[in-house]
Amino acid sequence: MIEAKAVLLDYGNTLVLDPFERILEQHFDYLNEPLRRSGYLFKKARVQGTWKDVNFGIHWPYASHFEQEERFIQLTLGRLNVDPADAEMVAPEMLARYRRKYAEALSGDMRRFEVRDALSKLKQRNKILAVVSNDRIFAPRAAMKYLGV
């Protein structure tokens, strides 16, 4: 029997489950506040539906869907016919708000205890651990920090 010396762990939807739709649903008013302050009063379903369509329609290499990207939000705002000058001002704040809720979602995810326990057991068995992802490096690093691993 060959014993494995290393364990490769998939980042997206294995170690970390995508909280995007939950964040969009639970924190819509908070995420939408910059748009509202700029005079855009869209219905919740329209913004959520458009943002989801943009997010799930993007298949760029190294795109951070879990943590989102400013360009995703700009495309969403464009589809909502937000003036490009307003979108340039609003998108960074919406992204920052989303990422705050992302950090909270992962930090409060009850699965983090199971993940930490499993990784700890592997380390106790002297396994080399690595996380693999086709995401940009900041996303899995931040997620591991929020999970406490």
Side-chain angles (χ1 to χ4, degrees), residues 44-75:
K44 178 179 181 177
R46 183 170 176 217
V47 175
Q48 288 177 324
T50 304
W51 197 341
K52 286 178 190 178
D53 288 347
V54 167
N55 182 59
F56 296 125
I58 291 174
H59 304 288
W60 305 332
Y62 313 112
S64 298
H65 290 272
F66 288 17
E67 287 204 11
Q68 290 295 289
E69 303 253 358
E70 185 175 331
R71 185 71 181 126
F72 294 10
I73 297 169
Q74 288 174 344
L75 289 169

Side-chain angles (χ1 to χ4, degrees), residues 4 21 30 44 54 88 107 109 112 116 118 128 131 142-143 146:
E21 290 187 71
Y30 174 73
K44 178 179 181 177
V54 167
E88 286 291 325
S107 296
D109 186 346
R112 74 187 185 284
R116 276 189 262 182
I128 299 167
V131 175
Y146 302 145

Side-chain angles (χ1 to χ4, degrees), residues 11-64:
Y11 160 66
N13 285 322
T14 303
L15 281 177
V16 178
L17 300 180
D18 187 358
F20 170 71
E21 290 187 71
R22 184 167 32 102
I23 291 170
L24 219 53
E25 179 60 35
Q26 292 177 353
H27 303 289
F28 175 77
D29 291 337
Y30 174 73
L31 298 172
N32 191 59
E33 176 62 20
L35 268 178
R36 192 194 62 71
R37 277 196 326 263
S38 295
Y40 295 94
L41 304 174
F42 297 113
K43 292 189 184 249
K44 178 179 181 177
R46 183 170 176 217
V47 175
Q48 288 177 324
T50 304
W51 197 341
K52 286 178 190 178
D53 288 347
V54 167
N55 182 59
F56 296 125
I58 291 174
H59 304 288
W60 305 332
Y62 313 112
S64 298

Side-chain angles (χ1 to χ4, degrees), residues 103-141:
E104 288 174 15
L106 265 58
S107 296
D109 186 346
M110 297 310 291
R111 287 184 65 248
R112 74 187 185 284
F113 300 113
E114 296 171 22
V115 170
R116 276 189 262 182
D117 186 49
L119 296 177
S120 177
K121 287 177 181 173
L122 288 168
K123 287 200 69 97
Q124 287 171 1
R125 294 177 60 194
N126 295 317
K127 302 300 179 190
I128 299 167
L129 303 177
V131 175
V132 295
S133 175
N134 65 347
D135 207 328
R136 296 189 324 156
I137 190 67
F138 76 87
R141 281 187 178 162

